[in-house]
Amino acid sequence: MIKSNQPILVSGVQPSGVLHLGNYHGAIKNWLSLQHTHRSFFMIADFHALTSQAHVQDPRANYRYAMALDLLALGIDPEQACLFYQSDVPQHAELHLLLSMITPLQWLHRTPSFKDKEDKLSHEWLTHGFLGYPLLMSADILLYKAQAVPVGTDQLPHLELTREIARRFNHLYGVAQFPIPEATLTDSPLLPGLDGEKMSKSHGNTIHLSDDPDTLTQKIKRMKTDPKRIRRDDPGTPEDCPVFTYQQLYDASESEQLAVDCRAGRIGCVDCKARCAQAVNHTLAEFHDTRQRLSHQPQKIHDTMNAGAEQARTVATATVSEVKQAMQL
C-alpha cells in the first residue's frame, strides 16, 4: 500500500459487539469510498473496548475477529487500506502515555463522553482509562499524522481535542511534529433501531449485518411504525415511521410511491415491513455470500490482519521515535 501522494486518513470501530446496519451507514460505507482516495488506516479499536464495563467483566465479549470478517466481506481492501487490530500496534499505548504528560486534566474533564456519563456510572467504573478515552483517540489519529478524520457531528469535540493536543505539542517542543487534522464529516442518515431510537449495541435494538434473512425479516416485523396509525386504512405519516427510513435507503426507486400509498392508507404496516425486509435482504445478499466464503478461510483473515499491523507498526514506530526525540527521551 504505497499512496504517498494521497492525504492520510485514520478511523476505527470498537469490537464491543457485532457490526450492525447503523455502523455500516454511519461509518463503514464511507470507508469503502475513502480507501480509494486516501492513504487509509482502519483499526479495530480493541484498546478502546476495554473502557466498557461489560467487556472487563466478560473478556470473552470481544468481537474483533467477527468484525474483521465483516469488514473484509463488505469490501475493505487490504491492497488499498491498512486494516489492523489496535492492540497489535503497541505504539498506540506508548504515544497515549507520552501525550498524557502534556494534556491538561481539565481538557479531558470537559469532553462530552466524560460529562455525559460522569453522573451515570458508578465511581468504580469512572476509571482512568475512561477519562483518557479521548486522549487515546487523539493518539490513534496523531500516530499516523492523519490529515483527515471521518466523523459524525457528535465526535467533533473529540477531534477538536486532538487538534489542541497537536498544537500544544508542536508549540512546547518547537517542532512541526503533527499536522492539524481536519474533519471529514459524514452525511449518513441517523439509522433508527428496532425501537425507533438510534441504533446502538448498548440499546439492544440492532439489526446485524450478519443476520440471516429469516432473522432480519423477523426483526423488521417487530419494528415500531407511525405511532398515530392504528388501523390499516388510517392515513399514515411516513416521516414519523422508522421503517420508511429503511425504505428510502434500500428501496429508493419505490419509496416515493410507498409514501403516497401510506398517506392515503392504501398500504398497511405489515405489507410495508415485508417489502422493506425483502429489499434489505436483497441488498445484503452479496455480503452474506462473501462472508460465508471468507468464514471458511480463517488463516487468510489472520494473515491479513497481521500484515496490516506490520504496516501500521512501521509508520507508528517512526512517529514515536520522532516524538521521543523531541521530548529528549
Side-chain angles (χ1 to χ4, degrees):
M1 183 190 67
I2 300 176
K3 296 182 176 180
S4 57
N5 61 330
Q6 293 183 341
I8 298 171
L9 177 144
V10 172
S11 193
V13 60
Q14 281 193 49
S16 53
V18 179
L19 278 181
H20 54 71
L21 294 182
N23 297 137
Y24 175 71
H25 289 285
I28 312 303
K29 186 177 181 181
N30 202 29
W31 290 8
L32 296 177
S33 58
L34 290 171
Q35 67 179 337
H36 299 292
T37 57
H38 292 70
R39 185 181 180 192
S40 300
F41 294 87
F42 297 135
M43 76 190 75
I44 294 177
D46 46 356
F47 278 152
H48 284 290
L50 293 174
T51 61
S52 164
Q53 179 178 342
H55 182 89
V56 173
Q57 291 176 325
D58 183 9
R60 295 170 299 176
N62 189 326
Y63 297 88
R64 67 179 210 161
Y65 175 81
M67 194 162 283
L69 175 59
D70 284 347
L71 290 172
L72 292 169
L74 283 167
I76 296 298
D77 184 355
E79 297 297 321
Q80 296 291 327
C82 180
L83 177 66
F84 60 97
Y85 298 127
Q86 183 187 28
S87 63
D88 283 347
V89 185
Q91 289 82 4
H92 284 264
E94 188 172 9
L95 185 59
H96 176 213
L97 172 65
L98 294 171
L99 294 178
S100 74
M101 303 304 177
I102 66 160
T103 302
L105 195 58
Q106 64 182 14
W107 288 9
L108 299 178
H109 276 291
R110 74 186 186 208
T111 57
S113 60
F114 183 78
K115 291 196 297 184
D116 288 348
K117 293 188 178 181
E118 187 175 10
D119 297 327
K120 299 175 184 176
L121 291 175
S122 66
H123 291 298
E124 181 183 3
W125 291 107
L126 281 175
T127 63
H128 176 266
F130 181 75
L131 177 63
Y133 179 103
L135 179 57
L136 178 57
M137 188 182 299
S138 297
D140 297 337
I141 295 166
L142 298 178
L143 190 59
Y144 303 98
K145 300 183 181 179
Q147 296 144 295
V149 183
V151 293
T153 54
D154 59 327
Q155 289 291 320
L156 284 175
H158 288 157
L159 182 60
E160 187 53 40
L161 172 68
T162 302
R163 291 162 55 84
E164 289 179 336
I165 291 171
R167 285 190 288 260
R168 182 173 172 85
F169 186 96
N170 293 347
H171 173 73
L172 286 175
Y173 296 104
V175 293
Q177 174 63 39
F178 298 119
I180 309 302
E182 298 289 342
T184 302
L185 289 174
T186 60
D187 57 0
S188 303
L190 181 65
L191 199 65
L194 302 178
D195 56 0
E197 301 299 321
K198 177 183 177 181
M199 188 175 291
S200 169
K201 294 184 287 285
S202 61
H203 294 160
N205 63 355
T206 57
I207 298 175
H208 300 144
L209 284 160
S210 55
D211 281 341
D212 62 76
D214 288 341
T215 299
L216 187 145
T217 297
Q218 291 304 315
K219 284 186 174 182
I220 289 181
K221 282 183 177 180
R222 301 200 309 268
M223 283 188 72
K224 289 187 176 181
T225 54
D226 180 357
K228 298 185 293 297
R229 195 175 187 194
I230 307 301
R231 293 176 295 273
R232 185 186 187 283
D233 56 355
D234 284 344
T237 309
E239 294 77 13
D240 294 336
C241 178
V243 175
F244 186 66
T245 302
Y246 287 74
Q247 298 283 19
Q248 291 176 304
L249 287 171
Y250 291 97
D251 198 9
S253 63
E254 300 293 332
S255 62
E256 185 174 341
Q257 184 59 49
L258 283 169
V260 171
D261 291 341
C262 177
R263 291 190 181 96
R266 289 195 296 264
I267 184 172
C269 295
V270 172
D271 295 334
C272 190
K273 287 179 177 181
R275 291 187 57 167
C276 179
Q278 183 178 20
V280 177
N281 278 322
H282 176 75
T283 302
L284 294 179
E286 183 178 355
F287 161 73
H288 284 152
D289 289 344
T290 304
R291 189 181 193 277
Q292 177 68 15
R293 175 174 53 80
L294 286 175
S295 69
H296 296 299
Q297 304 175 62
Q299 191 58 50
K300 181 176 181 179
I301 305 296
H302 291 308
D303 290 346
T304 297
M305 300 306 292
N306 287 338
E310 185 175 352
Q311 290 180 31
R313 283 193 298 268
T314 298
V315 177
T317 298
T319 298
V320 169
S321 178
E322 292 166 2
V323 167
K324 292 170 77 171
Q325 183 177 0
M327 298 177 80
Q328 299 295 307
L329 292 175

